[in-house]
Amino acid sequence: MQISHSEAVRLFPQGHALGDAFCNRENERERLKNCFLHNEHTVIVAPRRYGKSSLIRQTLIDAKIPGKRIDLLPATNVLFINKAIKLCFSELINQISPKTKNAKEKLIEFVKKLHPKLSLSFFGQKVEISTSQSPEESVIDLLAGLDTAAKKLSKRVVICLDEFQQAGLLKDHHSMEAAIRHAVERSTNITYIFSGSSRHLLNQMFRTKSRPLYHLCELMELERIKPEIYFPILSERAEKQWKEKVNSDAIQEILNITRCHPYYVNALCRQLWKMPHSPKIHVVQKVWFDYIETQTNWITDDLGKLKPNQRNILAALAYQPIEEPYSNSFSERVKIGASSIHKSLDILIENDFVYRDNDKKYKVLDPAIETWLNQIKYFDFIED
Ligand SMILES: Nc1ncnc2c1ncn2[C@@H]1O[C@H](COP(=O)(O)OP(=O)(O)OP(=O)(O)O)[C@@H](O)[C@H]1O
Ligand SMILES: [Mg+2]
């Protein structure tokens, strides 16, 4: 059978999943859409590659609300945030503003403080702004100006500050966080969504009393997509792809072996869906192990940053997840005292190497690291 590789890449993207590549998350989409509509500012927290950005983008499409996602990962100073918000302002104001020059000129009245001007572009009249204040003052005025304009036009808009933990790491972060709080508290027509993968840093930003953003938002913790939700979606995609009866044990194996981690489900399926026939269990396993082999460099790099005790605990959890890591039996198994287990496990959890699943067991978070550790390679690695 002639199989299109680009279809496999489209259905199981490495980047953001949107449209028919986006699997379900109906409850989360509904909840987020309601936040967008009702001005409920929200922090979305989940480990890396769980699907935060895809969820935000897909919900913006679903809700048909003008919105802009700002990626703060590359932010190295507060000027970056200021520049990104300025761009966001121009884009959103152009999205919500009426089309005629006359109406645009009226709108400009509401945001006069920002020295707006109309310029002619290929797409027609565009509002541009220039500010000459400090980055923090400028952020306050831009966001207040956008909110006023949205209110006058009876429009709602959404601003998503993705990888927001970066803002908390900047020099002068306190005054920028205070500026953002000022804007968020006063906003009536802009909903703010903050998201990021460092639960630890985001907790510090939003849950520490001395920080400006304390108790400003609702919290939404994103979990993995459940196997009972993934299973019918993958089965349907497989039947459509190979037009033959699909081995349901193989589909189940995809979900077992990747632990339903969306990034790895996509990585594995992207390979499987390029094959001429629907996979059997042993093919799923072979493709997965081959894939893990190709990931060795970053895995050894990541494990190399851990202390021996932390690595031993991680390897033990990869071999067998456990509910009682402070018990004598686990302590004997890893040959580490209970108080050292405590300290090491805290660090492993803080850095997203380990998580506590809904079944209360402590598990290795990344299925690629888990598989790698279980393939004896761990012992080769520590002997090097
Ligand atoms: N609902 C979904 N359905 C299908 N695939 C998804 C879904 N959500 C995410 N993915 C896939 O998971 C991977 C990670 O998605 P995404 O980039 O949205 O996550 P993220 O949490 O924003 O990651 P990062 O922490 O790196 O910013 C991508 O391969 C994406 O295609
Ligand atoms: Mg992201």
Side-chain angles (χ1 to χ4, degrees), residues 303 306-322 330 333-334 336 345 348 353-354 362-364 369-379 381-382:
L303 294 179
L306 298 178
K307 300 234 165 73
N309 272 357
Q310 296 162 358
R311 272 200 308 255
N312 286 343
I313 293 172
L314 196 65
L317 294 178
Y319 181 68
Q320 189 178 57
I322 184 160
F330 188 69
R333 210 173 103 199
V334 290
I336 304 171
L345 200 56
L348 290 170
F353 278 98
V354 170
Y362 290 86
K363 299 179 180 172
V364 175
I369 295 184
E370 185 190 352
T371 304
W372 194 90
L373 285 169
N374 276 331
Q375 286 183 311
I376 324 249
K377 291 195 172 114
Y378 173 61
F379 297 102
F381 174 70
I382 47 176

Side-chain angles (χ1 to χ4, degrees), residues 147-161:
D147 195 50
T148 311
K151 202 185 316 180
K152 296 282 174 202
L153 295 164
S154 306
K155 296 263 168 97
R156 296 222 137 264
V157 292
V158 177
I159 295 182
C160 302
L161 295 151

Side-chain angles (χ1 to χ4, degrees), residues 13-17 21-23 48-54 163 266:
Q14 192 169 21
H16 301 162
F22 188 93
C23 295
R48 292 225 53 198
R49 298 155 163 186
Y50 262 40
K52 300 172 292 293
S53 303
S54 300
E163 303 296 352
N266 278 8

